[in-house]
Amino acid sequence: MVGVETSINAPAPAATSSDARRPLTRRDTRVDLWIAALTAVLGLATLWLSAVIVADADGAGSPSIVESVLWLVGLCAPLAFRRQRPVAVLVVVSAVFLAAQLRGYPDTLTPSIVEFVAIFTANAWAARRARALVVSVVVTAVMFVWLGVWLRSVYVSDAEAPDPVTLATIAYTLVSNGIVLVTAIAFGRAARVSATRLHALERTGVELRAAHELVADRAINEERTRLARELHDVVAHHVAVIGIQAGAARRTLDRPEIARGALSAVEGTARTTIDELDRLLSVLRSRDGEAGSAPAGLGALPELMADTRALGLDVRFSVHGDAHDVPESIGVTLYRITQEALTNTLKHGNASLAEVQLRYGDRTVEVEVVDDGRPGPTPYPGAGLPQATAASGAGLGQRGMRERVDLHGGELQLGPRPRGGYRVHAVLPVSACADARPRDHVATDPSGRP
């Protein structure tokens, strides 16, 4: 039946949150109009056949054709609003059904179909299931009372007791009509549950797609932040080194040997920058999601110290505690923090000495970078940078350090020291350190500096 198939997917207006259904569409309204029209056409055909049968038997008590058509229109027209006002349509259709039968309406097939659809609609689409069930039960009870009275008037005579055939006919009529009415209620409630579950699945699908898009956006933003940190670490440090060495070369043009060394340092740093940028771009081009080799780690700290000393800044590096294997990501984080701290010392600190201490604890690994920065003339050639260059960082380096430390749930302290200079102290938790096998203790860097 068209009405049954449509009701499974159709919504009821003003549904509660537990019975939420999709909103009623114009297509649903057009379908209801077609159902009402087709039911009226079917009713005209069955009315004509019933009128012929009744007239051939004895149709003295039947209404006129015009009145019968009016009863049919009153019975079928409410179906056009069955989804908008399901309970009201049930009450109207039931009242017209009983009134038409009391007037002797000859047809019973089309009215029974309309009554079935009305009861089904009320239980499938009403905003309140309890009210729809109560109204359906009341209507069913009234129908049974009317049916019993009608059967008694037709088959039972006051003068004679009913024979077995009459009783069987009455029982058969009551059971068949009862099955139709009860089935309409059961099918309607089952269709309501199916439609509710379908809408819940559709809504869950929409929410899942929205959540997927949100997760994707967050992943993209996190990847952008990570790439921004990497680019800042590469560009800020190496470009600062290049600027310092270029400044040193410019100031020592009258001393060719010193200028030549500074330019050689510029050349080497530029190549290193190109290598790291190429590595970073290769990660972006990779399709298998592999991160590639780490840019640096704790093992690269002595090389970083040596490169910084080549710029004229005295760097003292020491390791305290039993050195343990640490996760690669933590090693990279500590390396980048140290690199950024030394870069800031070169650019802004006006310092002549920096101390870098790497400490291994039972559950933590920490690095501390302090310098003796102070106002005054530059302590080594090329240490001073133009003000515009020095201010170009805009705090991105410190923001990157904080983001790296927060990513691992660590702590970061940075700021000027009371007696001058600047201090950067990062502590990262490493639960695996206490269970790792210690390596040989390293007290100082390979350069042999104290």
Side-chain angles (χ1 to χ4, degrees):
M1 295 175 60
V2 177
V4 175
E5 293 176 355
T6 307
S7 64
I8 294 178
N9 295 321
T16 60
S17 58
S18 60
D19 295 329
R21 307 171 67 104
R22 64 175 177 83
L24 192 65
T25 62
R26 293 183 179 180
R27 180 181 179 276
D28 297 329
T29 304
R30 290 195 299 269
V31 170
D32 291 343
L33 290 173
W34 277 106
I35 291 176
L38 293 176
T39 306
V41 172
L42 175 64
L44 289 175
T46 56
L47 175 62
W48 177 74
L49 295 174
S50 300
V52 172
I53 296 173
V54 172
D56 186 59
D58 184 12
S62 300
S64 63
I65 297 298
V66 176
E67 183 181 353
S68 298
V69 171
L70 292 177
W71 284 117
L72 178 63
V73 173
L75 192 68
C76 297
L79 292 183
F81 307 95
R82 64 192 186 103
R83 305 194 198 199
Q84 301 177 27
R85 297 290 185 270
V87 176
V89 168
L90 172 60
V91 173
V92 172
V93 167
S94 301
V96 174
F97 179 91
L98 292 176
Q101 296 300 319
L102 292 175
R103 283 289 299 158
Y105 188 80
D107 182 28
T108 57
L109 177 60
T110 300
S112 297
I113 294 175
V114 173
E115 185 69 24
F116 180 93
V117 174
I119 295 176
F120 177 90
T121 301
N123 287 273
W125 301 333
R128 299 179 181 178
R129 289 185 296 177
R131 184 177 64 176
L133 180 61
V134 170
V135 173
S136 300
V137 171
V138 172
V139 168
T140 301
V142 172
M143 289 293 178
F144 267 97
V145 171
W146 169 82
L147 188 60
V149 173
W150 180 77
L151 290 173
R152 186 178 184 280
S153 64
V154 173
Y155 294 102
V156 178
S157 174
D158 295 335
E160 300 179 359
D163 54 31
V165 176
T166 301
L167 292 177
T169 303
I170 294 174
Y172 176 83
T173 305
L174 289 174
V175 170
S176 60
N177 283 273
I179 291 176
V180 171
L181 296 176
V182 172
T183 301
I185 296 176
F187 282 4
R189 295 180 71 83
R192 183 191 192 92
V193 173
S194 299
T196 301
R197 289 177 178 176
L198 178 61
H199 180 71
L201 288 176
E202 293 175 350
R203 185 174 54 189
T204 301
V206 173
E207 293 175 353
L208 287 176
R209 286 192 294 271
H212 176 73
E213 293 177 358
L214 180 60
V215 171
D217 291 340
R218 288 180 177 176
I220 292 174
N221 291 332
E222 290 176 358
E223 185 65 12
R224 287 175 176 173
T225 302
R226 185 186 69 82
L227 293 175
R229 287 197 301 262
E230 293 289 340
L231 286 173
H232 178 273
D233 292 338
V234 172
V235 174
H237 174 74
H238 294 297
V239 172
V241 171
I242 291 173
I244 292 173
Q245 292 290 356
R250 177 179 58 83
R251 296 185 182 188
T252 58
L253 290 177
D254 55 340
R255 289 176 286 178
E257 293 299 328
I258 298 178
R260 186 179 298 110
L263 292 176
S264 298
V266 170
E267 180 182 5
T269 304
R271 290 176 178 175
T272 303
T273 305
I274 293 174
D275 291 339
E276 292 209 23
L277 288 176
D278 184 67
R279 178 197 58 78
L280 188 60
L281 292 176
S282 65
V283 173
L284 293 177
R285 296 191 191 101
S286 63
R287 296 183 179 181
D288 54 3
E290 296 181 356
S293 60
L298 295 181
L301 285 178
E303 182 180 355
L304 176 63
M305 306 303 135
D307 293 340
T308 307
R309 293 190 192 100
L311 299 176
L313 177 64
D314 185 14
V315 181
R316 298 177 182 177
F317 176 51
S318 60
V319 180
H320 304 272
D322 293 330
H324 301 283
D325 292 330
V326 299
E328 183 180 6
S329 60
I330 292 181
V332 172
T333 297
L334 293 175
Y335 176 88
R336 289 303 192 189
I337 291 175
T338 305
Q339 182 186 51
E340 180 64 27
L342 293 176
T343 300
N344 290 337
T345 298
L346 291 172
K347 292 170 61 178
H348 312 297
N350 195 24
S352 59
L353 173 65
E355 295 183 3
V356 179
Q357 297 182 6
L358 178 64
R359 303 187 185 95
Y360 289 89
D362 292 337
R363 297 289 178 179
T364 61
V365 177
E366 56 186 280
V367 65
E368 183 179 31
V369 181
V370 296
D371 61 57
D372 62 348
R374 60 192 182 280
T378 58
Y380 53 87
L385 293 176
Q387 184 64 28
T389 306
S392 61
L396 295 179
Q398 294 186 1
R399 183 188 305 174
M401 286 192 287
R402 292 191 182 278
E403 290 175 351
R404 290 182 182 274
V405 172
D406 291 341
L407 184 64
H408 295 282
E411 298 180 359
L412 177 67
Q413 298 177 355
L414 47 85
R417 302 167 65 190
R419 296 182 179 180
Y422 205 81
R423 175 176 179 265
V424 176
H425 184 207
V427 181
L428 299 182
V430 185
S431 59
C433 288
D435 303 325
R437 179 175 299 176
R439 301 194 302 265
D440 294 337
H441 175 71
V442 180
T444 58
D445 61 13
S447 67
R449 289 176 178 264

